[in-house]
Amino acid sequence: MTGAAALMLDLLLVVLVAFAGWAALAGRGVFRAVVFFIAYGLLVALGWVRLGAVNVALAEAAIGAGLTGVLLLATVGRLERAGAARDVPLMRGAAAWVPALAGLAVTGALVWAWFALPLPESPGPQLAEALPRSGVENPVTAVLLNFRSWDTLLEAIVLLAALLGVWMLGRDGDWTAPLGLRQHVREGGVMAGFGRVLPPLGLLVGVWLLWAGADAPGGAFQGGTVLAAVIVVALMAGVAAPPGVDALPLRVALVLGPGVFLGAGLVLAALGAGFLTLPEAQAKAVIVAVETALTLSIAVTLAGLVLGPPTAPNGAAARTPDGARP
Amino acid sequence: MTGADPFLPAAHAPDVYALGGAVLVGLGVWGLLALRHLLRRVVAFNVIGSGIFLFFGAIAARGGGEPDPVPQALIITGIVVALSASALAVTLVAALAQRRGGAVLPGEGRQPPEAETDAK
């Protein structure tokens, strides 16, 4: 591809991203806005490929577009049941200028910052020197699970905290009910077919992304997200019944990742290497153990976040669309 | 550019995507302030987030060569945290809608009445 053609492609992609973003915000209808947001996420993922960040592209496509999209679509469904999915017209008059000016000012400041910022130091030499001792060849995985593993440990705990927050918003009387809304699946329909075909494929792709992430684009978050999608599809298609919050396997799966991560850090500290400081000889083994446990926990936690709080079947069954009550 | 690594960013890519990111952040800020339906505000929050990530990722790709992996790792962390925050936010919106029959903050007007079930 010549330079001019590549520039045209990138400019076209940016214009498309901006248009999809605009349609997701200002287009008519909340449902349509969510659909445009999913398209927007996929276009942004293409942008990440063009920036040479394939790891980020995978995360954006799987999490930013995929799981967030399912989450927003499920919320539109909940709001429809509560009679709150109707769109609200935009503000008019003088007050409408304030948000427009604020947005323009922020964009202007960022553009100014881009040209005013000094060129960052290239990470080349230090990284090239440290990478062979990290235990993995994918530099992003090396950063996530070795050089800056503190960030990743705390992130795993943030995920868990968010899930607890979502569960706390369930109604008291629903606490022992299964997670999420009941789905009504027509036998032999599209969803039932998806439920049989997609989970095995997704399982394969998710485990591959986890394993390949050591040396190629992929990793615990991308693999975990695909596995979360497998769980969500299987539950939506009625292949498996959602558990309640007090199910022991669920609780074990939720804390396994952060637990193994924290445990590895403490063991390394006790051995004298320092908390989460991986010695070169054991780095690969520790990273594989932590990543595997983390992938399982990420998958279950993300699926839990998308499913929502425990909900009693009588309150929101698919058979009674007017089941919403104040 | 034939034969080059297809994943190596072109020389112009950081500039193009940084400016695109800047536009998205501005668009999202406008949406967060101007839109009153709370689910749309969650979408706006996500648009701001991905705009900031693009801007940050463009900085990582500046200067040519392999993009810096540290910002990339931080961005992946950011994408996951944005999903957790969105999940908590939409659950709050749904809880509010169940109690008040609308997905608009009190004092910011009302939702146009629906034909079938509008509480009170």
Side-chain angles (χ1 to χ4, degrees):
Chain A
M1 195 168 7
T2 65
L7 179 63
M8 285 308 290
L9 173 72
D10 286 322
L11 286 176
L12 184 68
L13 189 56
V14 165
V15 170
L16 275 176
V17 166
F19 172 76
W22 167 257
L25 292 175
R28 266 198 302 145
V30 177
F31 174 76
R32 201 180 308 178
V34 172
V35 173
F36 269 109
F37 180 74
I38 296 171
Y40 164 86
L42 292 173
L43 290 169
V44 170
L46 284 182
W48 284 116
V49 176
R50 295 292 302 156
L51 275 173
V54 185
N55 289 279
V56 182
L58 285 171
E60 172 68 35
I63 305 172
L67 274 193
T68 310
V70 176
L71 179 73
L72 293 173
L73 283 177
T75 309
V76 171
R78 277 172 205 267
L79 292 182
E80 266 169 7
R81 274 185 212 99
R86 289 285 288 227
D87 211 354
V88 188
L90 280 172
M91 298 180 200
R92 282 182 204 286
W97 284 99
V98 178
L101 290 177
L104 275 177
V106 173
T107 298
L110 282 173
V111 170
W112 173 80
W114 176 253
F115 291 110
L117 276 176
L119 217 57
E121 245 181 82
S122 165
Q126 293 129 296
L127 184 75
E129 191 245 334
L131 193 57
R133 288 185 278 115
S134 71
V136 287
E137 271 173 45
N138 179 349
V140 178
T141 304
V143 172
L144 277 173
L145 284 141
N146 194 339
F147 306 149
R148 294 190 66 96
S149 44
W150 253 111
D151 293 5
T152 312
L153 172 62
L154 292 180
E155 175 186 14
I157 295 171
V158 165
L159 272 180
L160 199 55
L163 183 64
L164 291 181
V166 166
W167 282 359
M168 272 187 242
L169 289 168
R171 279 179 290 193
D172 283 352
D174 292 354
W175 182 247
T176 52
L179 294 176
L181 295 176
R182 292 301 75 68
Q183 301 286 335
H184 177 72
V185 185
R186 196 161 51 84
E187 236 166 276
V190 176
M191 197 63 225
F194 271 3
R196 277 192 296 275
V197 174
L198 290 183
L201 286 177
L203 203 63
L204 210 61
V205 173
V207 174
W208 163 252
L209 277 175
L210 162 68
W211 182 249
D215 306 320
F221 289 104
Q222 294 87 341
T225 309
V226 173
L227 295 181
V230 167
I231 299 174
V232 171
V233 167
L235 294 181
M236 278 170 62
V239 175
V245 292
D246 50 355
L248 188 64
L250 173 68
R251 293 186 171 193
V252 170
L254 287 177
V255 295
L256 189 69
V260 169
F261 210 152
L262 207 56
L266 292 174
V267 168
L268 287 169
L271 292 177
F275 185 69
L276 286 177
T277 309
L278 308 192
E280 194 182 339
Q282 287 89 40
K284 173 91 184 178
V286 175
I287 289 181
V288 169
V290 168
E291 261 204 315
T292 308
L294 209 53
T295 303
L296 182 71
S297 291
I298 290 169
V300 177
T301 313
L302 291 181
L305 285 173
V306 171
L307 287 176
T311 312
N314 57 5
R319 275 165 276 117
T320 56
D322 57 346
R325 22 143 288 142
Chain B
M1 260 199 271
T2 42
D5 181 351
F7 290 134
L8 220 51
H12 63 255
D15 285 323
V16 172
Y17 289 99
L19 299 184
V23 169
L24 293 178
V25 175
L27 203 59
V29 167
W30 168 79
L32 198 61
L33 295 172
L35 303 169
R36 285 178 290 173
H37 196 285
L38 288 173
L39 193 63
R40 281 180 178 269
R41 283 201 170 145
V42 177
V43 173
F45 159 81
N46 275 288
V47 171
I48 295 180
S50 58
I52 291 175
F53 297 150
L54 266 184
F55 194 81
F56 191 24
I59 293 177
R62 238 178 160 188
E66 282 280 312
D68 188 347
V70 177
Q72 290 187 55
L74 293 181
I75 291 166
I76 292 175
T77 308
I79 290 175
V80 177
V81 172
L83 172 70
S84 337
S86 302
L88 195 55
V90 298
T91 315
L92 279 167
V93 173
L96 179 83
Q98 232 168 31
R99 287 200 176 88
R100 297 185 71 246
V104 181
L105 283 183
E108 288 206 323
R110 320 187 97 244
Q111 231 156 347
E114 188 115 34
E116 26 157 327
T117 50
D118 204 20
K120 284 165 219 154

